[in-house]
Amino acid sequence: MSQSPKDIAIVGSGLVGSLLAIYLRKEGHKVTVFDRRPDIRTVEFSGRSINLAMSNRGWNALQQVGLEDEIKKIAIPLYQRAMHVDGVPLYYQKYGKDDEAIWSTSRGLLNRKMIDLAEAEGTKFRFSEKVWDVDLPESKIYTGETEKGVWEEYKFDCVFGCDGAFSRVRHKMQRRSRFDYSQEFIKVGYKELSILPNEDGTHKLDKHSFHIWPRGKFMLIAMPNIDGSFTCTLFMPFEGDISFESITNKAEAKDFFSTHFPNVMPDLDNLIGDFFKNPTSAMVTMKCFPWTYWDKAVLVGDSAHAIVPFYGQGMNAGFEDIYVLANMLKKYPDNWTLAFEEYEKERKPNADAIAELSYRNFVEMSSKTADPMFLLQKKIEKKFAAEYPEKWLPVYSRVTFSNRPYAEALALGDEQEAIMKKIMQLPNIEEKWDSEEVTNKIIELLK
């Protein structure tokens, strides 16, 4: 059944807003996207980005509107982690089976591409137009130069909030009775840095790896771009002995990088320049409910469920929201109230699950990946999963290389962790980790 065409406003021209516009245009709706920022295609990107890791859920959402091949042109497959651990030779950890990869792409490059594609579908974009207020029952939005100035009123059939963790649309919904809301900042911030290409345009590090320098309470990551550069992200506490606060000049920055990341020395000047040029940004987990207001307004992506970036699932989760929402609108073509209710009912438990998984992965990436017993546990899990794939799918693979619910991955991951805790307590586990005894014990515990 086809849907009756509606006049729709989307607040936010980021990745989720742009993809949602494409979905809605393909169903015949009129779509106008508002954004307080200027057109990203006309300005230098902000220097606040962490490269994106597109995985199965994101590709699945793009496939539905025929965009997978187009987006793969601006992405690089990463088949493994490259671990730069202090005092240990460089080593690699495969993500999954040989052909399984996450795909690195620049947020700015992808966002520009998505806006181009949405415009090609007939979406109207209104940049540099800040939404100050939303009349939820009437689906009206009000924009203007300043909060106290003259406002322009726009009337729509429905308003979609895709305007991020500090959403103006959600802010209006929060004022209504029985709206649950929480936000929690972690004590670690991040700063974007870069490693330049070689003179011939090639990458200075392996370009099919996600590079990680785990250093306990802080870490550096690097993901490749198609121009030969790497976008690096330094995660570090805001305050403390080793923190953003403690590095105040170029000499201190040089000492920091040369001490903790000696193999990035060829790009030291560039890294130090980026360190003082780019802002230090915060990371927040935001949860709320409900996500919808009648058939008049709905939250999608970070405006409904902002998460920390350590599972690489923020964009993927937002794209999966759109995929589920679009299917609900097709299932209940002219009952948008019911479609929205079913959308939030399905997505809310999964959003909470990926928020929890993302925080746990921060702990794993920054400290546990350098712990010998943790690495041994992962080795045992990998061996068992290879021998008994029908019995054991690692939680990372369940999240990244499948479209099964996040909530399922969290629950099954907890069960696997409880089993492995018992396995790691077996006497002499370091010597007999690959023995039949250990394999049989896992099978017994699974029963």
Side-chain angles (χ1 to χ4, degrees), residues 139-328:
S139 290
K140 292 178 180 176
I141 66 173
Y142 299 87
T143 71
E145 291 288 325
T146 65
E147 191 168 10
K148 302 294 184 185
V150 178
W151 288 353
E152 186 85 20
E153 177 186 292
Y154 297 91
K155 174 79 174 77
F156 294 95
D157 296 318
C158 181
V159 177
F160 287 84
C162 301
D163 46 341
F166 305 103
S167 165
R168 177 63 60 167
V169 180
R170 189 193 65 242
H171 178 69
K172 190 66 177 182
M173 291 170 72
Q174 282 174 237
R175 298 183 185 182
R176 307 200 67 84
S177 176
R178 299 175 67 202
F179 187 95
D180 292 327
Y181 170 79
S182 70
Q183 70 176 34
E184 183 179 357
F185 287 90
I186 61 173
K187 294 178 180 178
V188 171
Y190 72 91
K191 190 181 284 285
E192 181 187 328
L193 310 169
S194 57
I195 292 176
L196 300 176
N198 289 314
E199 287 186 12
D200 62 357
T202 56
H203 293 82
K204 286 178 178 164
L205 304 167
D206 179 59
K207 75 170 186 177
H208 292 296
S209 297
F210 184 146
H211 294 265
I212 306 176
W213 291 259
R215 298 295 184 264
K217 292 182 179 178
F218 62 99
M219 68 174 172
L220 181 70
I221 65 170
M223 297 177 71
N225 298 307
I226 57 173
D227 66 358
S229 67
F230 280 83
T231 298
C232 306
T233 312
L234 176 63
F235 297 98
M236 194 158 62
F238 286 103
E239 297 98 13
D241 291 343
I242 298 179
S243 66
F244 287 113
E245 176 190 69
S246 69
I247 301 172
T248 60
N249 57 55
K250 290 188 175 182
E252 290 172 349
K254 182 177 182 180
D255 182 59
F256 169 74
F257 283 109
S258 57
T259 300
H260 298 291
F261 311 110
N263 63 340
V264 298
M265 290 300 286
D267 270 81
L268 189 61
D269 290 343
N270 187 61
L271 290 166
I272 291 172
D274 286 342
F275 187 92
F276 290 103
K277 180 182 76 173
N278 292 336
T280 303
S281 301
M283 290 173 283
V284 65
T285 298
M286 189 285 301
K287 298 178 182 178
C288 71
F289 200 78
W291 295 358
T292 66
Y293 179 82
W294 305 346
D295 62 346
K296 298 296 185 182
V298 59
L299 304 174
V300 186
D302 282 359
S303 61
H305 52 78
I307 60 176
V308 293
F310 303 107
Y311 230 111
Q313 287 294 304
M315 170 190 61
N316 290 288
F319 281 10
E320 192 171 59
D321 285 350
I322 296 168
Y323 174 76
V324 171
L325 178 59
N327 283 339
M328 293 303 179

Side-chain angles (χ1 to χ4, degrees), residues 22 84 89-90 223 263 404 412:
I22 293 167
H84 303 260
L90 175 67
M223 297 177 71
N263 63 340
R404 298 294 301 165
L412 290 170

Side-chain angles (χ1 to χ4, degrees), residues 3 8 10-27 29 31 33 54 57-67 110-111 114 118 160-164 291 298-305 313-331 336 339-340 342-344 346-348 350-351 403 406:
Q3 302 165 23
I8 293 169
I10 295 175
V11 183
S13 69
L15 299 168
V16 168
S18 300
L19 182 60
L20 179 60
I22 293 167
Y23 265 78
L24 293 170
R25 281 296 302 148
K26 285 185 179 292
E27 290 299 320
H29 303 294
V31 181
V33 178
M54 188 83 72
R57 298 167 199 274
W59 290 124
N60 182 51
L62 291 169
Q63 281 169 2
Q64 299 306 307
V65 283
L67 297 182
L110 180 59
N111 204 165
M114 297 295 289
F160 287 84
C162 301
D163 46 341
W291 295 358
V298 59
L299 304 174
V300 186
D302 282 359
S303 61
H305 52 78
Q313 287 294 304
M315 170 190 61
N316 290 288
F319 281 10
E320 192 171 59
D321 285 350
I322 296 168
Y323 174 76
V324 171
L325 178 59
N327 283 339
M328 293 303 179
L329 291 173
K330 286 178 181 174
K331 187 175 180 180
W336 283 38
F340 288 175
E342 291 297 306
Y343 152 73
E344 68 181 2
E346 179 169 331
R347 292 302 290 159
K348 171 62 174 169
N350 291 303
N403 296 312
Y406 288 127

Side-chain angles (χ1 to χ4, degrees), residues 369-406:
T369 46
D371 176 0
M373 292 306 285
F374 173 79
L375 294 174
L376 177 61
Q377 177 179 325
K378 290 298 172 189
K379 198 188 291 188
I380 296 169
E381 288 181 46
K382 185 176 181 180
K383 175 179 177 287
F384 187 81
E387 291 174 354
Y388 296 95
E390 75 287 354
K391 293 181 184 292
W392 193 284
L393 181 64
V395 65
Y396 186 90
S397 296
R398 205 178 287 274
V399 167
T400 308
F401 302 121
S402 84
N403 296 312
R404 298 294 301 165
Y406 288 127

